[in-house]
């Protein structure tokens, strides 16, 4: 039992490497401890249990923001939020258990293989976690390296490959501990200091703007979630967005509003159209989140799309993107007849479910280039954010993080930075309460507005980089890295024979 408690404690420590704490050296130390526990596990069952409890610690702490989401749903008690965090962690920990079980099973005869097999298994099981049953890819271990030089391999092996690197790094410490090699241990322990990328922290100087690039105005209205859900506040919130947008001055602007910013029917509401038209100049474009009413499927009372609209002069709709990767329980209710009978509902108010769009696409923005759209949650899925047949010049990620608590928004922002790095594309984010920001193609923060602050970002659109290897081949590359690690483990096994 002591080993299981220690596994849970190490999992908690590993989660401190995620934002907003960003204590990533502790994540590496936690995995060093996990390797020691796997090595000493007397049976496969014990190795699985240790991995499962490690995952429980990591997910319960890292996903604590989910509990906050329940405080905005009057139909369910707030305490149910923590039960949801624990239940979700029960499921997600199956993947960490699978990784440790595989490592113990295949590396047990030759302990030198343990690190290599665990790193390969973690890459594969983390990808499975982000894929099966619609996937939940939040907080892959590799995102803890976002403020280090070690993040640069993401351009080649992606986020899941970075997670494997975390375990390899921990393995060096583990190896030093096993063999009492003090020199190696000190060298590896000092490596975080050498690899810390101080230029990429929030205090770093922003990359210089290219005045020849298109002008952006990114709006953060600071509208709390309780006001967004209040129908009596809709007009006031809309007017705030219009005020922050300002009047056109003749120069072309790309104006970017958050997810679901417009609460009105953009096809039929003439008053809303006229008010929007007053803020969109003859050379301006406005990107805004909104709701598109859809034909409901059989047996469903109502349906809609979570959409992003491209509006031109006169508030004319020039294009639309519909969110494809939806949030379970937030935007649709799985097993709706059964759960509705139990009194459960979506966390986001609505009579029916939001329908899924076709997937990543690219919109042409006259005068501003080509844009890929990923609405809110969609940006966390590594390798699934770009239409590779029609590569955009940048990605727009309108979001609503107002119901994500204190930990969710910085974690969301960190994962968006990794997408920029993987794909070699700048990313613009607009949210009601933060974190709103502009990220360049190297994952650096160009401009950022903190949480719970009303304001705008006036900046220039960063240039796209050349398509990275990951941008061209996607998650084939982390899988190739995993296979390389397995091949290395087999070579170690043959050599030790």
């Amino acid at each position: 039992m002591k080993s299981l408690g220690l596994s849970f404690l190490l999992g908690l420590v590993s989660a401190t490497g995620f934002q907003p704490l960003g204590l990533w050296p502790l994540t590496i130390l936690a995995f060093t401890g996990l390797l020691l526990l796997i090595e000493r596990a007397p049976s496969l069952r014990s190795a699985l249990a240790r991995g499962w409890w490690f995952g429980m610690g990591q997910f319960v702490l890292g996903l604590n923001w989910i509990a906050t989401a329940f405080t905005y749903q009057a139909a369910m008690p707030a305490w149910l939020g923590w039960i949801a965090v624990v239940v979700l962690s029960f499921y997600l920990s199956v993947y960490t258990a699978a990784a440790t079980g595989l490592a113990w099973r295949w590396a047990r005869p030759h302990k030198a293989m343990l690190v290599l097999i665990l790193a390969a298994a973690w890459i594969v099981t983390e990808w499975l976690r982000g894929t099966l049953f619609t996937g939940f890819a939040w907080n892959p271990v590799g995102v803890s390296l976002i403020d280090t030089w070690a993040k640069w391999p993401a351009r080649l092996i992606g986020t899941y490959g970075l997670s494997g690197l975390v375990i390899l790094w921990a393995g060096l410490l583990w190896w030093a501990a096993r063999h009492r090699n003090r020199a190696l241990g000190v060298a590896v322990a000092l490596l975080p200091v050498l690899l810390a990328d101080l230029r990429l922290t929030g205090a770093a100087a922003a990359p210089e703007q290219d005045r020849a690039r298109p002008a952006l105005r990114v709006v953060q209205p600071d509208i709390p979630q309780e006001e967004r859900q209040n129908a009596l506040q809709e007009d006031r919130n809309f007017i705030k967005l219009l005020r922050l947008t300002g009047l056109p001055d003749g120069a072309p602007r790309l104006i970017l509003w958050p997810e679901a910013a417009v609460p009105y029917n953009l096809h039929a509401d003439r008053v809303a159209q006229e008010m929007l038209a007053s803020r969109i100049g003859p050379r301006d474009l406005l990107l805004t989140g909104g709701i598109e009413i859809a034909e409901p499927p059989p047996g469903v009372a109502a349906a809609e799309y979570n959409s992003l609209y491209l509006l031109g002069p006169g508030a004319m709709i020039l294009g639309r993107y519909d969110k494809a990767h939806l949030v379970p329980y937030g935007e649709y209710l799985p097993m709706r007849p059964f759960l509705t009978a139990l009194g459960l509902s979506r966390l986001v108010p609505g009579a029916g479910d939001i329908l899924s769009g076709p997937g990543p696409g690219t919109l042409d923005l006259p005068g501003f280039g080509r844009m890929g759209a990923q609405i809110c949650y969609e940006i966390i899925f590594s390798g699934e954010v770009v239409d590779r047949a029609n590569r955009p010049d940048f990605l727009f990620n309108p979001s609503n993080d107002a119901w994500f608590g204190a930990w969710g928004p910085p974690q969301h922002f960190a994962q968006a930075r990794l997408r920029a790095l993987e794909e070699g594309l700048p990313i613009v984010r607009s949210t009601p309460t933060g974190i709103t920001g502009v990220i360049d193609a190297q994952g650096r923060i160009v401009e950022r507005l903190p949480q719970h602050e009303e304001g705008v970002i006036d900046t220039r659109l960063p240039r796209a980089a050349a398509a990275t290897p990951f941008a061209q081949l996607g998650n084939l590359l982390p899988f190739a890295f995993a296979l390389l690690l397995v091949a290395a483990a087999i070579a170690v096994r043959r050599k030790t024979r």
Side-chain angles (χ1 to χ4, degrees):
M1 290 301 293
K2 288 183 179 180
S3 62
L4 299 184
L6 182 57
S7 297
F8 181 76
L9 179 61
L10 288 172
L12 289 173
V13 172
S14 74
T16 65
F18 303 130
Q19 298 299 320
L21 301 180
L23 303 175
W24 55 271
L26 293 183
T27 301
I28 295 168
L29 288 174
F31 273 95
T32 303
L34 178 63
L35 283 162
L36 288 167
L37 288 173
I38 299 170
E39 178 190 13
R40 296 171 182 174
S43 65
L44 175 60
R45 181 177 179 178
S46 176
L48 289 167
R50 294 176 188 197
W52 189 85
W53 279 105
F54 181 90
M56 280 295 295
Q58 184 178 98
F59 293 122
V60 165
L61 180 58
L63 301 177
N64 69 76
W65 55 269
I66 291 176
T68 307
F70 281 74
T71 65
Y72 298 106
Q73 173 54 275
M76 291 179 281
W79 54 261
L80 191 60
W82 277 108
I83 293 179
V85 171
V86 172
V87 170
L88 178 60
S89 299
F90 262 72
Y91 161 67
L92 298 177
S93 298
V94 169
Y95 296 98
T96 59
T100 57
L102 285 169
W104 187 92
R105 172 64 181 82
W106 296 106
R108 179 168 167 261
H110 302 276
K111 289 183 172 58
M113 299 168 56
L114 185 62
V115 176
L116 297 170
I117 296 295
L118 181 63
W122 204 277
I123 290 170
V124 174
T125 56
E126 205 166 66
W127 175 84
L128 288 171
R129 171 164 72 88
T131 304
L132 294 180
F133 311 115
T134 78
F136 188 75
W138 199 277
N139 278 352
V141 170
V143 79
S144 64
L145 300 181
I146 189 60
D147 282 319
T148 76
W149 287 112
K151 72 178 177 57
W152 288 97
R155 300 166 66 86
L156 176 63
I157 56 175
T159 297
Y160 301 126
L162 278 187
S163 297
L165 286 184
V166 169
I167 293 169
L168 292 178
W169 197 341
L172 290 175
L173 283 173
W174 170 78
W175 189 261
R178 280 191 80 244
H179 294 275
R180 299 181 182 179
N181 189 327
R182 294 182 180 178
L184 177 60
V186 170
V188 176
L190 289 176
L191 200 55
V193 178
L194 299 176
L195 290 176
D197 189 352
L198 299 179
R199 297 181 309 167
L200 294 178
T201 65
E208 187 175 345
Q209 295 184 26
D210 184 346
R211 304 303 299 178
R213 300 292 295 156
L216 305 178
R217 168 158 283 205
V218 193
V219 178
Q220 179 172 294
D222 189 27
I223 301 173
Q225 183 65 17
E226 58 269 21
E227 292 185 13
R228 285 175 59 85
Q229 295 180 184
N230 186 345
L232 299 177
Q233 297 277 4
E234 288 180 351
D235 291 345
R236 176 177 173 271
N237 295 339
F238 186 56
I239 291 171
K240 180 186 282 193
L241 284 161
L242 293 169
R243 174 175 57 79
L244 290 169
T245 298
L247 295 171
D249 60 4
R253 303 177 301 168
L254 181 59
I255 306 158
L256 303 108
W257 285 8
E259 177 186 15
V262 178
Y264 314 113
N265 187 336
L266 286 174
H267 298 280
D269 194 315
R270 294 300 304 168
V271 174
Q273 291 170 355
E274 290 172 4
M275 295 175 74
L276 284 165
S278 70
R279 294 301 194 270
I280 304 174
R283 302 168 67 189
D284 293 344
L285 293 176
L286 170 65
L287 289 162
T288 180
I291 298 299
E292 180 78 8
I293 306 301
E295 184 70 25
V300 177
E304 56 197 19
Y305 289 105
N306 184 350
S307 300
L308 174 67
Y309 293 94
L310 171 62
L311 304 181
M316 181 180 296
I317 298 176
L318 304 179
R320 193 183 91 226
Y321 167 81
D322 297 325
K323 185 176 182 180
H325 216 135
L326 304 176
V327 182
Y329 304 99
E331 293 174 304
Y332 71 96
L333 191 64
M335 302 179 293
R336 173 172 281 278
F338 173 71
L339 294 180
T340 301
L342 295 178
L344 298 180
S345 63
R346 284 170 40 192
L347 293 176
V348 178
D353 286 335
I354 292 177
L355 303 181
S356 178
T362 300
L363 294 176
D364 287 321
L365 278 54
F368 296 93
R370 299 183 307 277
M371 180 203 70
Q374 291 290 298
I375 298 176
C376 196
Y377 174 73
E378 292 185 300
I379 201 68
I380 72 171
F381 292 91
S382 175
E384 300 179 28
V385 299
V386 169
D387 178 2
R388 301 193 188 282
N390 188 13
R391 177 176 165 83
D393 300 310
F394 73 102
L395 292 174
F396 179 38
N397 177 222
S399 186
N400 175 22
D401 293 353
W403 54 310
F404 283 7
W407 285 43
Q411 290 175 5
H412 206 180
F413 194 76
Q415 291 171 98
R417 289 176 62 193
L418 264 187
R419 296 297 85 74
L421 189 67
E422 287 175 337
E423 301 292 344
L425 293 174
I427 293 179
V428 183
R429 299 189 81 239
S430 177
T431 72
T433 58
I435 301 171
T436 292
V438 179
I439 305 162
D440 73 7
Q442 285 74 46
R444 299 175 298 185
I445 301 168
V446 178
E447 299 277 358
R448 174 170 58 182
L449 287 172
Q451 289 178 261
H452 313 299
E453 182 177 302
E454 178 185 312
V456 298
I457 294 175
D458 287 314
T459 188
R460 300 283 172 167
L461 179 64
R463 293 184 183 276
T468 65
F470 184 86
Q472 298 176 59
L473 296 174
N475 281 316
L476 289 176
L477 291 174
F479 273 104
F481 181 43
L483 287 174
L484 181 64
L485 292 171
V486 172
I490 293 172
V492 167
R493 180 174 181 173
R494 289 179 176 175
K495 184 176 180 180
T496 55
R497 281 181 174 177

